[in-house]
């Protein structure tokens, strides 16, 4: 049994942020019922596919963040389907949706309506700009995606080479970090309900989440009055803390502590640098010169040789691609690559495992993502069997 095996979650979300949030809950044992609009989640048909998009039920995008869920297809414009949804709400613990503000109200299924059917309900939304219930702004109702959130929230302005353009972070942090915060909010609301018997509304906005993510830039602006900008892979207040080119790739070195700095200098056979720049202030003041010295040294060595020279003495690591990750025994020992069935093929695919490790109730992906409407009879049949006075 998972830590959240007592929770029933109705998942109305689609694409990435919402599904990732409910995936975290499902990995920890919650019964997540994915309620899909007619035709299903928009992202079902998104590549990549193992072989043939025509025969496979969905691509890797959908598979990765919808594993371990059940699926039913409902049309909220249909009276019977709407009634089925409300019957599910009456027995649910949590509802999660990521529509634009006001969308659920069009069907008279907003929080206030659902709370009448289930006063203990925790209703959670993920939106680009939050919900008016927790703070109204002129942006609410506008569509938003990861790129929009990263741009507005300052992530792009501080990401990329110093002489290059604002750059999007590779993973969809506008979605994924917001989703993670929303999951935390849901669990906090569950705990509050256990203590008080009160349900509530949980609201997490993507723009808000990006401000939380870029916390360093926020306090830098406040303390210095200057807007931080791009610095490549370096750090504004720590050195050396950067990526360095090697003879066959790149590695990162984080040796800003004096003990680690001395170890780097010893490995370089440059004790003179340790003596001349003994403290953090002097290293920061002369960071350009010192970076050149380190870069000349790393360029003469392969990545493996560099890591071997410093590992165990200095925080150092190779810059890996996914082939390296798949070959890393650490990743397999930590169960971070999980095989699941890919419907429409005879092939198993691997998706990222759960990074949350627990000794008594270890989270784990509960199998492949569902087919569209795969569990209609199972889910709605359960409601029909629930006694009216239960």
């Amino acid at each position: 049994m998972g830590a959240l095996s007592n929770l029933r979650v109705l998942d109305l979300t689609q694409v990435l942020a919402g599904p990732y949030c409910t995936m975290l809950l499902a990995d920890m044992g919650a019964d997540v019922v994915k309620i899909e609009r007619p035709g299903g989640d928009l992202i079902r048909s998104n590549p990549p596919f193992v072989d043939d998009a025509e025969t496979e039920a969905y691509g890797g995008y959908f598979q990765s963040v919808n594993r371990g869920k059940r699926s039913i297809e409902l049309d909220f414009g249909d009276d019977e389907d709407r009634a089925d949804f409300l019957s599910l709400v009456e027995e649910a613990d949590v509802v999660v949706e990521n529509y634009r503000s006001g969308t659920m109200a069009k069907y008279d299924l907003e929080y206030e309506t659902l709370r009448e059917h289930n006063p203990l309900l925790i209703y959670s939304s993920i939106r680009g700009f939050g919900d008016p219930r927790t703070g109204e702004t002129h942006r609410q109702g506008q569509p938003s995606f990861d790129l929009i959130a990263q741009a507005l929230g300052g992530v792009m302005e501080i990401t990329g080479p110093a002489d290059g353009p604002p750059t999007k972070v590779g993973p969809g942090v506008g979605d994924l970090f917001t989703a993670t915060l929303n999951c935390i909010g849901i669990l906090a609301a569950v705990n509050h309900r256990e203590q008080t018997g009160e349900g509530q509304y949980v609201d997490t906005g993507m723009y808000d989440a990006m401000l939380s993510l870029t916390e360093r830039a926020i306090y830098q602006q406040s303390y210095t009055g200057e807007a931080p900008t791009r610095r490549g892979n370096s750090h504004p207040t720590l050195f050396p803390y950067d990526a360095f080119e090697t003879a066959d790739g790149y590695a990162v070195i984080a040796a800003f502590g004096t003990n680690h700095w001395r170890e780097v200098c010893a490995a370089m056979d440059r004790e003179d640098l340790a003596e001349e720049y003994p403290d953090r202030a002097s290293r920061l003041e002369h960071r350009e010169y010192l970076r050149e010295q380190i870069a000349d040294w790393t360029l003469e060595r392969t990545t493996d040789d560099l890591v071997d020279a410093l590992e165990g003495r200095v925080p150092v690591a190779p810059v890996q691609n996914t082939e390296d990750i798949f070959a890393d025994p650490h990743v397999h020992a930590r169960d971070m690559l999980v095989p699941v069935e890919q419907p429409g093929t005879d092939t198993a695919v691997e998706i990222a495992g759960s990074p949350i490790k627990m000794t008594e109730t270890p989270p784990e992906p509960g199998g492949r993502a569902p087919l569209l409407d795969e569990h209609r009879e199972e889910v709605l049949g359960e409601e029909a069997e629930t006694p009216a006075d239960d």
Side-chain angles (χ1 to χ4, degrees), residues 192-334:
H192 175 77
R193 186 180 65 185
E194 290 297 311
Q195 298 177 72
T196 67
E198 297 175 341
Q200 64 179 302
Y201 192 105
V202 176
D203 169 37
T204 312
M206 296 168 71
Y207 189 176
D208 299 350
M210 291 303 91
L211 295 189
S212 177
L213 183 67
T214 59
E215 50 81 31
R216 185 174 71 206
I218 300 300
Y219 73 68
Q220 285 178 311
Q221 173 69 47
S222 178
Y223 275 66
T224 69
E226 298 178 0
T229 189
R230 295 171 293 290
R231 307 185 60 94
N233 293 308
S234 68
H235 192 283
T237 61
L238 305 175
F239 181 87
Y241 193 93
D242 209 336
F244 295 89
E245 187 174 3
T246 67
D248 60 353
Y250 286 85
V252 295
I253 299 173
F256 54 89
T258 297
N259 58 330
H260 293 143
W261 168 243
R262 289 173 179 161
E263 292 287 357
V264 169
C265 293
M268 293 171 61
D269 197 21
R270 291 294 305 273
E271 282 81 358
D272 59 306
L273 296 178
E275 293 175 6
E276 190 170 353
Y277 306 100
D279 53 47
R280 185 176 299 183
S282 62
R283 293 192 290 273
L284 278 174
E285 182 180 355
H286 299 279
R287 65 189 301 162
E288 295 305 321
Y289 167 73
L290 293 174
R291 193 190 191 291
E292 289 177 4
Q293 303 305 302
I294 299 171
D296 289 345
W297 177 68
T298 64
L299 197 55
E300 296 174 349
R301 288 156 178 77
T302 67
T303 301
D304 285 346
D305 287 344
L306 175 64
V307 171
D308 288 344
L310 296 177
E311 197 167 38
R313 302 159 61 191
V314 175
V316 62
V319 175
Q320 298 192 142
N321 62 25
T322 48
E323 289 183 355
D324 301 322
I325 292 169
F326 271 62
D328 190 339
H330 168 89
V331 172
H332 295 275
R334 299 288 294 173

Side-chain angles (χ1 to χ4, degrees), residues 58-234:
Y58 41 69
Y61 194 136
F62 183 85
Q63 171 84 279
S64 178
V65 294
N66 288 286
R67 76 274 190 103
K69 303 176 186 179
R70 300 194 285 173
S71 168
I72 64 172
E73 185 179 21
L74 293 178
D75 179 358
F76 290 157
D78 179 86
D79 289 343
E80 186 174 342
D81 280 4
R82 185 177 180 280
D84 284 337
F85 174 65
L86 288 173
S87 71
L88 293 173
V89 167
E90 290 174 359
E91 301 298 326
D93 295 288
V94 180
V95 168
V96 188
E97 53 100 342
N98 63 343
Y99 296 117
R100 289 194 212 178
S101 179
T103 298
M104 292 295 285
K106 294 179 182 178
Y107 302 100
D108 192 24
L109 292 174
E110 68 275 27
Y111 171 56
E112 289 72 21
T113 297
L114 301 191
R115 185 174 58 182
E116 292 176 2
H117 291 262
N118 183 350
L120 299 180
L121 183 69
I122 294 163
Y123 186 113
S124 173
S125 66
I126 298 174
R127 313 200 196 287
F129 305 103
D131 189 271
R133 294 173 180 84
T134 60
E136 189 168 4
T137 87
H138 68 285
R139 295 188 183 275
Q140 284 156 356
Q142 298 175 9
S144 184
F145 293 97
D146 167 63
L147 184 66
I148 306 300
Q150 288 199 36
L152 286 172
V155 176
M156 293 180 64
E157 174 58 27
I158 60 174
T159 305
D163 58 354
T167 303
K168 183 183 82 68
V169 174
V173 294
D175 289 304
L176 300 178
F177 188 63
T178 309
T180 304
L181 295 180
N182 194 252
C183 181
I184 294 169
I186 289 170
L187 297 179
V190 169
N191 183 62
H192 175 77
R193 186 180 65 185
E194 290 297 311
Q195 298 177 72
T196 67
E198 297 175 341
Q200 64 179 302
Y201 192 105
V202 176
D203 169 37
T204 312
M206 296 168 71
Y207 189 176
D208 299 350
M210 291 303 91
L211 295 189
S212 177
L213 183 67
T214 59
E215 50 81 31
R216 185 174 71 206
I218 300 300
Y219 73 68
Q220 285 178 311
Q221 173 69 47
S222 178
Y223 275 66
T224 69
E226 298 178 0
T229 189
R230 295 171 293 290
R231 307 185 60 94
N233 293 308
S234 68

